[in-house]
Structures are given as C-alpha cells and as structure tokens.
Amino acid sequence: MYKGKFLSAVITAAGSGTRMGLEINKPYLEIGSKKILELSLTTVTSIEEFDEIILVIREEDFSLATEILSLFRDPRIKMVAGGASREESTYNGLIALNPDSDLVLSHDGVRPFASRGLFLRVLKEMETYKAAISATKSKDTVKVANENGEVDFTPNREFVYNIQTPQGFDTRLIKSLYKKYFESEAKITDDSQLFEFFDRDEPVKIVEGEYSNIKMTTTEDIIFAKAFIKGER
C-alpha cells in the first residue's frame, strides 16, 4: 500500500532479441553473474509498497522466467503472457491487476539499472498527479525532419526529454485510455503518450530520470551494462 492506496507494478519483458541478432530473448541475457530480468526484479521486489507485481513475458519464456522467480520466492509476483506488440503486452498486464488497484507503475524489464530511488520519486508525484514519468533532458541538439529526410525545425533543447520507465498512472484512468487506444488508429511508443491523444486535460508530470537507466536494445548497450556493473563494484 502507498498512502492508503493499493499499489501495483507491471513489468513488461515480452520482447525479443532480434535487434541484437541473438537467439535468446533479451531479459535472459547474463550481465556479470545475473540475468537482465533478475536485475530488474531485484530492484522492484525491494520496494515494499508494491502490493502486487505483474510480470508480462512471452509464453515460450515461461520456464526461463520461472527459474528466475524461484530466486525471489515473492508471493506478490504473478506471470501473464504478453501480446503481439508492446502495447498489447502492457494492456495484458493491466487487465491482470487486482480490481482494487489504485495506482500502477509500469516498467521495462530490460531497463535493469533504474534505481529504487527513481521508482520512489515517480511514486511521490502520484500524490499530486494521475500520470508521472521518468525522463532525462536531451544532451544533444534534436532535429525534426520532414518525410523527405530534410530538416524541418530544431526544438529548444531545454524542453526536449528522453523518456524512460518507470511511469506511474492512476490505474482506472490508464485502463480506460488503453481501451480508447485499441479502438483508434493512433500509434504510441510509450504509455504516457495516451494522454496526448485521449486526455490532454490531464497533465503528465516529468520526474528527473537517470542517464544510467538505459534500455537493453543493441549489443552496444550490453557493453555499457557490463562496464556499469564493473564500475559499481
């Protein structure tokens, strides 16, 4: 519970390792002595405020995930199967939540370095907002191109952010926005974008993220991850 509210977590780990050119799915790659998903769950399970933790994975990875979960023996964790897309996987996690859920934090299972403090900072903003997301200010100048690959304009870097997870939401609201999404032709790349399409009146609070909170997407990310762990030690 958090401030008297039932708190849930949805951890999505239903993607594949195709962009890395690997046979094994990304969450089950080893970095140092631990698998990526194991690192993520270590942080999430350390947050005692969570009443339930929904782990969304590919059906074919159930045995691999079960092996990792045996290390935690945490009764709050429940596994559900993912969908054909990231959005479907997240929604599968949302509909598996306890009906009493008031707040939910969603997180990419392949972001193993999000700190416990980052989760708690996002959660703190949920006392005021119905949506809060972690993000880092862009270090680079960003160009927006037209359909011909030509520069259209340059946004002010002061207002440009790289979006991360965890992201926190009012449970009932995010579920209702996802229902609208699946009835539309909109395309999103993160959950908070639902508010841009379907609820512009509800502000989304940006919480200062962590540059080390990278998503394991390419082989270069694995190199960074190994160096990061070595540096921590």
Side-chain angles (χ1 to χ4, degrees):
M1 299 291 283
Y2 181 76
K3 306 286 186 178
K5 293 186 176 182
F6 190 104
L7 178 63
S8 308
V10 171
I11 311 301
T12 51
S16 65
T18 52
R19 276 190 280 182
M20 285 187 179
L22 302 171
E23 292 183 7
I24 190 169
N25 196 4
K26 290 182 292 184
Y28 311 102
L29 289 172
E30 250 185 40
I31 301 176
S33 59
K34 294 184 178 181
K35 293 180 172 60
I36 290 172
L37 182 57
E38 183 183 347
L39 289 168
S40 298
L41 287 175
T42 296
T43 301
V44 174
T45 56
S46 75
I47 302 171
E48 58 276 6
E49 287 87 351
F50 283 127
D51 294 291
E52 64 177 346
I53 300 167
I54 306 298
L55 177 61
V56 187
I57 60 171
R58 300 192 306 177
E59 276 193 81
E60 54 264 48
D61 292 333
F62 265 45
S63 59
L64 290 170
T66 300
E67 187 179 326
I68 291 175
L69 294 187
S70 68
L71 302 173
F72 294 92
R73 300 184 184 279
D74 192 321
R76 297 175 298 171
I77 303 176
K78 174 185 175 182
M79 286 195 302
V80 299
S85 66
R86 187 202 64 83
E87 304 94 275
E88 288 180 19
S89 293
T90 300
Y91 188 64
N92 284 0
L94 290 174
I95 61 177
L97 295 179
N98 188 303
D100 293 330
S101 178
D102 297 303
L103 304 174
V104 58
L105 265 62
S106 64
H107 186 58
D108 291 321
V110 289
R111 286 187 185 269
F113 303 130
S115 71
R116 187 174 186 275
L118 180 56
F119 279 88
L120 296 178
R121 290 199 299 276
V122 171
L123 189 53
K124 177 69 176 174
E125 293 297 340
M126 296 304 295
E127 296 175 25
T128 306
Y129 294 87
K130 292 188 176 181
I133 63 175
S134 55
T136 55
K137 274 197 172 184
S138 176
K139 293 181 179 180
D140 303 314
T141 296
V142 175
K143 301 285 185 182
V144 177
N146 61 23
E147 62 275 10
N148 298 319
E150 303 159 347
V151 172
D152 188 7
F153 68 96
T154 305
N156 186 335
R157 193 169 62 184
E158 283 297 305
F159 304 106
V160 176
Y161 287 82
N162 296 311
I163 305 306
Q164 304 180 334
T165 63
Q167 300 186 357
F169 306 102
D170 175 277
T171 303
R172 292 164 186 80
L173 180 54
I174 193 67
K175 279 184 176 180
S176 70
L177 295 184
Y178 253 113
K179 286 179 182 177
K180 291 180 181 179
Y181 172 73
F182 287 121
E183 293 170 355
S184 75
E185 295 183 1
K187 293 296 177 185
I188 62 171
T189 53
D190 84 307
D191 297 334
S192 69
Q193 199 174 356
L194 291 168
F195 288 80
E196 298 171 38
F197 283 114
F198 306 112
D199 194 351
R200 297 289 299 190
D201 292 331
E202 194 65 56
V204 177
K205 178 64 175 177
I206 292 176
V207 178
E208 184 179 353
E210 299 164 341
Y211 288 106
S212 56
N213 180 23
I214 64 169
K215 185 177 181 180
M216 297 290 114
T217 305
T218 65
T219 51
E220 288 80 9
D221 297 327
I222 297 296
I223 294 170
F224 169 86
K226 290 179 178 178
F228 182 78
I229 288 177
K230 185 176 180 181
E232 277 194 324
R233 288 173 180 167

